[in-house]
Amino acid sequence: MMQTQTILAELFPNELEYQIDNWVIRGSAKTKIGKVEIIGTVDSAAINQAIAIRLANEVLDVIAQGKKTPIVFIVDTQGQDSSRADELLCLNRTFAHLAACVDLLRRSEHPNLAIILGEAVSGGFLSYGLMANQIFALQSSQVKVMDLNAMSRVTKIPLDKLQSLSKTSAIFAPGVENFYKMGAVDEIWVNLDEQLVENAIESQQTHIQDFLTDNRRQVAKERDGRLLCNEVVDKVLSA
């Protein structure tokens, strides 16, 4: 909790207000480009049905105001809640609903960005953080779909083989640096100040239409993170 407070104070030194309730953070802050809304999760939240619905509703409420207010998504999640109850309540569909709400936010031309403060894992990250126009991560953050042990169990590829592949291929390796190479993270932040968020939002406001196109696979190729992705996509589209 203290780390979250310190980081937010550095990024939003002016009129920062927020509340944390059951791992959900909701607040606002004043920046040089106006008010920004803050929505997300903290303390490595395991995102369940209730949290996902709450996040979706908060996004829809901001859209309904019709002011195109920027949203900063705070990401700190260990992934989806693995309880049987949440699975029976169709958590996957609720995640899809949350992702659709963030997509509506984007198409409604709200500037928006995600900041990974701690963990960003699996469906908990994919459903809202990875949907944002831009994703920024602290250097100390932990970003992954699953660890190599779990990947080995799912894919049946021996662990030592995956460990070897992860040394040369970003798509097999967890970590913020590898997600940067794959285009999933726009920048890795080392030193924090209020200008980081302000500059990102200001850039989006100037070129908001550019963010309606997902160019992450092109970025990944430029960063040598996904070497065959564009070739495969082109072959599928031309088949």
Side-chain angles (χ1 to χ4, degrees), residues 56-70:
N57 287 342
E58 295 290 357
V59 171
L60 291 176
D61 286 346
V62 174
I63 297 172
Q65 294 171 13
K67 300 178 182 179
K68 295 186 178 180
T69 307

Side-chain angles (χ1 to χ4, degrees), residues 88-210:
L88 290 173
L89 287 169
C90 296
L91 183 59
N92 59 326
R93 185 63 189 88
T94 308
F95 276 4
H97 170 65
L98 173 55
C101 291
V102 180
D103 185 54
L104 177 61
L105 178 82
R106 296 176 61 249
R107 290 186 286 110
S108 300
E109 299 185 352
H110 285 252
N112 64 91
L113 58 97
I115 304 175
I116 304 172
L117 300 191
E119 289 189 285
V121 181
S122 191
F125 174 41
L126 302 177
S127 59
Y128 76 105
L130 199 58
M131 292 293 297
N133 280 351
Q134 292 177 288
I135 298 102
F136 303 99
L138 272 61
Q139 190 177 41
S140 59
S141 62
Q142 301 294 320
V143 188
K144 58 187 177 183
V145 174
M146 61 176 67
D147 63 30
L148 294 182
N149 287 293
M151 192 181 297
S152 177
R153 290 195 299 270
V154 171
T155 64
K156 309 303 181 185
I157 299 175
L159 178 59
D160 57 350
K161 178 65 173 178
L162 288 175
Q163 290 173 333
S164 176
L165 288 170
S166 69
K167 296 177 181 179
T168 56
S169 176
I171 63 173
F172 286 98
V176 64
E177 293 285 352
N178 288 302
F179 273 72
Y180 172 80
K181 290 179 181 178
M182 290 189 291
V185 171
D186 290 270
E187 291 180 18
I188 301 172
W189 289 349
V190 179
N191 301 310
L192 304 181
D193 60 55
E194 62 187 300
Q195 294 182 351
L196 293 171
V197 172
E198 291 175 343
N199 291 343
I201 293 175
E202 196 168 36
S203 175
Q204 289 189 33
Q205 289 176 328
T206 306
H207 308 285
I208 194 65
Q209 290 293 327
D210 294 345

Side-chain angles (χ1 to χ4, degrees), residues 1 4 20 23-25 40-45 74-77 117:
M1 187 71 71
T4 299
I20 296 175
W23 297 281
V24 174
I25 182 170
T41 60
V42 297
D43 298 332
S44 298
I74 301 301
V75 179
D76 189 358
T77 170
L117 300 191

